[in-house]
Amino acid sequence: MSKTVYVAALSQVPTYEETQTTTNLSTSTIASFFTHNAGSGSAKWAMSNGSTGTIKLVPGNIGIDSTTASVTLTAATNLTNVRLSCSYTTETNYDKVTITAAGTTVASAVSGSGTKSWTGNMTKGQTIVLTYVKDVSQSAS
C-alpha cells in the first residue's frame, strides 16, 4: 500500500518590509511615544511646542533658590533611532543641567549655554531624564 504525500506551496510568498519613518514630536503626539512626569508645584516643568518638530520644556524652579526640578519621559513602546537634542542656558558656574537618556549620561551638571545630543534605541520603560538644579544664590547674568 502506497502513501501519498502532498507538498503545498503558497502562490504568494509573504514578504516583510520595514520602512523607516520619522515622527516629529509635539505636545499632541508625545503621548504616543512617551509617558511623562513633569514634577509638581514649583518644580513642575512646562511643556509647549517649540520650533517645528520640537518640544520646549522649561523647569518651573527658575529663580527659586536651592531647588531641583526633574522631568522624566518614559518610553511607552520600543523606539529605534531616537534623536534627542537639548539646548540649555543657565547661570554659568552655578545652576546645573543633567541629562540622561536610556541609561547614558548625555550631560552631567553642565552650566552656561550649550547643546547636548544623543541618538540611540530605547526599549519600553527606559527613560529620558532632564534635571535642573538652581543654586543657593540669586540669579546673575
Side-chain angles (χ1 to χ4, degrees):
M1 186 186 246
S2 66
K3 293 186 178 181
T4 306
V5 177
Y6 293 95
V7 177
L10 297 173
S11 60
Q12 296 180 339
V13 178
T15 59
Y16 177 74
E17 178 180 274
E18 180 177 299
T19 56
Q20 188 80 24
T21 59
T22 300
T23 302
N24 291 324
L25 290 181
S26 68
T27 55
S28 62
T29 62
I30 191 168
S32 299
F33 305 97
F34 295 96
T35 59
H36 67 282
N37 178 350
S40 61
S42 64
K44 184 172 179 137
W45 287 61
M47 180 184 297
S48 62
N49 289 323
S51 58
T52 304
T54 65
I55 292 178
K56 182 177 181 181
L57 292 163
V58 178
N61 65 328
I62 293 175
I64 304 173
D65 297 344
S66 301
T67 57
T68 299
S70 291
V71 61
T72 302
L73 304 171
T74 304
T77 186
N78 293 336
L79 303 169
T80 58
N81 200 28
V82 176
R83 289 182 295 256
L84 172 68
S85 180
C86 296
S87 296
Y88 59 90
T89 301
T90 72
E91 184 181 15
T92 303
N93 298 321
Y94 297 99
D95 301 343
K96 309 289 184 187
V97 173
T98 298
I99 305 163
T100 61
T104 299
T105 301
V106 178
S108 180
V110 294
S111 69
S113 294
T115 300
K116 297 293 182 180
S117 299
W118 173 84
T119 301
N121 300 324
M122 296 181 73
T123 58
K124 182 178 179 178
Q126 283 189 308
T127 60
I128 295 171
V129 180
L130 308 172
T131 303
Y132 171 74
V133 177
K134 172 67 184 96
D135 73 330
V136 298
S137 67
Q138 66 187 20
S139 298
S141 49

